Amino acid sequence: MTATPETAGPQSVRLDIWLWSARLMPTRSAATAACRGGHVRRNGEATKAAQRIVVGDELRLRSPGRERIVIVTKVLVKRVGAPIAREAYEDHSPPPPPQLAAAPPRRERGTGRPTKRERRAFDRLRGRDEDPQP
């Protein structure tokens, strides 16, 4: 009996292993913790790390300030390189929220304490103005 590409390899794999293998989570324990915390949903339902996923499953991963929506296209058992990992899923995530237009000013390291003028500028930027201009 010869193995064809359709039957070669596993048909399903544990969710935490796949998240780690597809480089969506940095470690397997982080993937397990995300599942335990309710941050991962499979086909719209809360899931456990040990549940088996198959090709076609929709996964929703919540992280601070962002939700990723991916469709599984390939089952991975071991961690692979980033180009191959990107082929294992289709990303249907909304674009990330835009960053603030103006980043707060940064001071060079080692320049000492801010001057009175710089402190006032920081306060104005943070909205803690004591003296609103008339």
Side-chain angles (χ1 to χ4, degrees), residues 19-58:
L19 289 172
W20 171 72
S21 300
R23 294 181 173 267
L24 294 173
M25 292 285 177
T27 62
R28 204 173 138 195
S29 60
T32 304
C35 292
R36 193 176 302 128
H39 301 291
V40 180
R41 299 181 80 70
R42 180 179 150 244
N43 298 327
E45 297 179 9
T47 185
K48 294 182 179 179
Q51 284 188 343
R52 311 292 281 183
I53 62 164
V54 295
V55 173
D57 281 347
E58 178 191 69

Side-chain angles (χ1 to χ4, degrees), residues 20-114:
W20 171 72
S21 300
R23 294 181 173 267
L24 294 173
M25 292 285 177
T27 62
R28 204 173 138 195
S29 60
T32 304
C35 292
R36 193 176 302 128
H39 301 291
V40 180
R41 299 181 80 70
R42 180 179 150 244
N43 298 327
E45 297 179 9
T47 185
K48 294 182 179 179
Q51 284 188 343
R52 311 292 281 183
I53 62 164
V54 295
V55 173
D57 281 347
E58 178 191 69
L59 303 175
R60 291 178 177 261
L61 308 150
R62 268 192 343 214
S63 60
R66 184 155 189 222
E67 181 180 37
R68 295 194 70 181
I69 303 169
V70 297
I71 307 289
V72 178
T73 58
K74 189 189 293 185
V75 175
L76 298 174
V77 178
K78 62 182 182 176
R79 195 160 170 101
V80 293
I84 297 169
R86 278 192 290 275
E87 295 172 1
Y89 59 88
E90 294 174 12
D91 197 354
H92 294 282
S93 305
Q99 298 295 323
L100 294 175
R106 294 283 178 195
R107 293 178 43 80
E108 291 297 320
R109 192 167 173 86
T111 57
R113 294 181 55 175

Side-chain angles (χ1 to χ4, degrees), residues 1-9:
M1 181 166 140
T2 60
T4 61
E6 293 81 27
T7 60

